[in-house]
């Protein structure tokens, strides 16, 4: 599919709620340590560096949720990390990291933890291209204490009909029971009696991949592999249900042959 031109669009959403702890304190999951990445940074890099190879333009919308924004302190569950709501795109994972750190300095961590707005944000784009030419992957990094479970389930059930997948990486020590429920591997997720058409959520707890000190990812590769493991099948199940076949790959590029004109 990718050879035939299907584009994979990668969006990041980061949890800026107060339960993460004050970013100026070493105990915070958002601690701005000048010497090493925090848990959010490690998770973003590990997953993002793999998935960015599948995104041809390397421009990623990066969103935050659960913070109070300057100048008036209004709470937002869908704000652009680069401060530009018209153009939330960041260049490469490094651009996302930069925008993330900039946001931490300017917004106030708040709450509640609502997932539905960022899921619906990506779903709006996915709903506009259902012909198989684009597929959307949303990475949500969160400390896992979710406030809008019913709305989130509704959003996921609706999104299961669209060309999109959701990856949730849980950071920190919380109980992630709600995230396991959203993952839907054991029981298919439902909302108001309607079941999700396909499983589109993959959840992994970040703590399973870091050493005891919490400072180093034991295996970035293993984390990325487990996080991305379900995407190919989720992608193919969408195409199959819709009866979309891969487009033929364009012929390999051959440089034009310059015929040398020899003068007699």
């Amino acid at each position: 599919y990718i050879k035939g031109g299907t584009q994979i669009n990668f969006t990041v959403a980061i949890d800026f709620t107060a339960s993460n702890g004050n970013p100026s304190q070493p105990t915070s999951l958002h601690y701005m340590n000048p010497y090493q990445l925090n848990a959010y940074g490690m998770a973003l890099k590990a997953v993002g560096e793999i998935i960015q190879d599948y995104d041809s333009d390397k421009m990623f919308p990066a969103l935050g949720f659960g913070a109070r924004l300057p100048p008036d302190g209004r709470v937002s569950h869908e704000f652009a990390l680069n401060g530009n709501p018209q153009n939330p795109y960041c260049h490469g994972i490094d651009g996302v990291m930069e925008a993330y750190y900039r946001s931490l300095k300017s917004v106030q961590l708040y709450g509640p933890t609502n997932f539905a707005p960022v899921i619906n944000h990506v779903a709006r784009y996915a709903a506009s291209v259902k012909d198989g030419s684009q597929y959307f992957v949303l990475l949500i990094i969160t400390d896992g204490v979710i406030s809008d479970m019913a709305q989130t389930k509704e959003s996921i059930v609706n999104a299961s009909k669209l060309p999109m997948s959701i990856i949730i990486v849980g950071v920190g020590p919380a109980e992630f029971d709600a995230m396991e429920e959203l993952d839907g591997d054991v029981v298919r997720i439902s909302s108001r009696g309607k079941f999700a058409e396909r499983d589109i959520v993959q959840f992994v707890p970040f703590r399973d991949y870091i050493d005891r000190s919490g400072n180093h990812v034991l295996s970035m590769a293993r984390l990325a592999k487990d996080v991305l493991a379900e995407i190919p099948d989720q992608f193919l199940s969408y195409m199959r249900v819709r009866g979309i076949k891969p487009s033929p790959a364009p012929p390999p590029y051959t440089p034009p042959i310059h015929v040398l004109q020899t003068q007699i």
Side-chain angles (χ1 to χ4, degrees):
Y1 284 91
I2 289 171
K3 272 189 177 151
T6 298
Q7 297 284 329
I8 297 203
N9 300 294
F10 178 48
T11 301
V12 181
I14 291 180
D15 181 336
F16 280 82
T17 53
S19 51
N20 285 284
N22 180 341
S24 61
Q25 302 295 320
T27 50
S28 171
L29 295 168
H30 279 306
Y31 178 48
M32 289 198 277
N33 183 336
Y35 303 108
Q36 63 188 43
L37 295 173
N38 61 26
Y40 279 84
M42 286 194 281
L44 185 57
K45 229 174 153 53
V47 181
E49 288 191 337
I50 301 286
I51 212 164
Q52 73 175 356
D53 289 340
Y54 293 88
D55 189 314
S56 57
D57 65 1
K58 308 277 186 281
M59 295 299 286
F60 307 125
L63 308 171
F65 56 94
R68 291 174 74 157
L69 307 187
D72 52 358
R74 75 184 170 84
V75 177
S76 173
H77 297 292
E78 187 189 335
F79 63 91
L81 294 190
N82 65 3
N84 182 349
Q86 275 69 51
N87 184 7
Y89 290 84
C90 300
H91 186 63
I93 290 305
D94 291 340
V96 176
M97 300 287 277
E98 211 174 295
Y100 159 60
Y101 285 122
R102 239 195 348 261
S103 278
L104 274 181
K105 294 192 181 89
S106 66
V107 306
Q108 181 195 348
L109 302 192
Y110 204 65
T113 308
N114 293 351
F115 282 10
V118 290
I119 295 173
N120 293 338
H121 175 100
V122 175
R124 282 195 296 276
Y125 288 94
S128 66
V129 278
K130 297 192 207 158
D131 59 357
S133 63
Q134 305 204 31
Y135 194 87
F136 295 78
V137 177
L138 168 62
L139 167 65
I140 300 176
I141 309 178
T142 176
D143 71 352
V145 188
I146 184 170
S147 319
D148 66 339
M149 193 65 172
Q151 292 89 328
T152 293
K153 284 180 163 180
E154 174 93 349
S155 300
I156 291 171
V157 169
N158 292 336
S160 69
K161 299 193 267 294
L162 302 173
M164 71 180 273
S165 289
I166 301 164
I167 298 165
I168 303 172
V169 176
V171 292
E175 284 301 317
F176 289 124
D177 300 358
M179 302 298 110
E180 298 283 6
E181 190 182 334
L182 294 178
D183 186 290
D185 280 350
V186 182
V187 179
R188 180 64 62 92
I189 190 169
S190 65
S191 169
R192 303 191 218 184
K194 262 199 338 223
F195 281 85
E197 186 178 295
R198 37 189 259 284
D199 173 20
I200 62 165
V201 181
Q202 167 75 333
F203 166 73
V204 297
F206 188 64
R207 57 175 172 240
D208 292 359
Y209 301 87
I210 44 180
D211 65 12
R212 283 214 179 88
S213 72
N215 290 338
H216 299 286
V217 180
L218 295 170
S219 169
M220 285 264 192
R222 190 166 68 91
L223 169 67
K225 179 174 177 289
D226 290 356
V227 165
L228 300 170
E230 293 184 8
I231 301 267
D233 282 345
Q234 292 175 3
F235 176 102
L236 292 172
S237 75
Y238 175 81
M239 299 299 180
R240 234 176 267 130
V241 168
R242 296 286 173 286
I244 299 165
K245 302 266 187 292
S247 304
Y253 175 74
T254 43
I257 299 160
H258 293 293
V259 181
L260 290 174
Q261 298 284 318
T262 48
Q263 288 185 325
I264 296 160

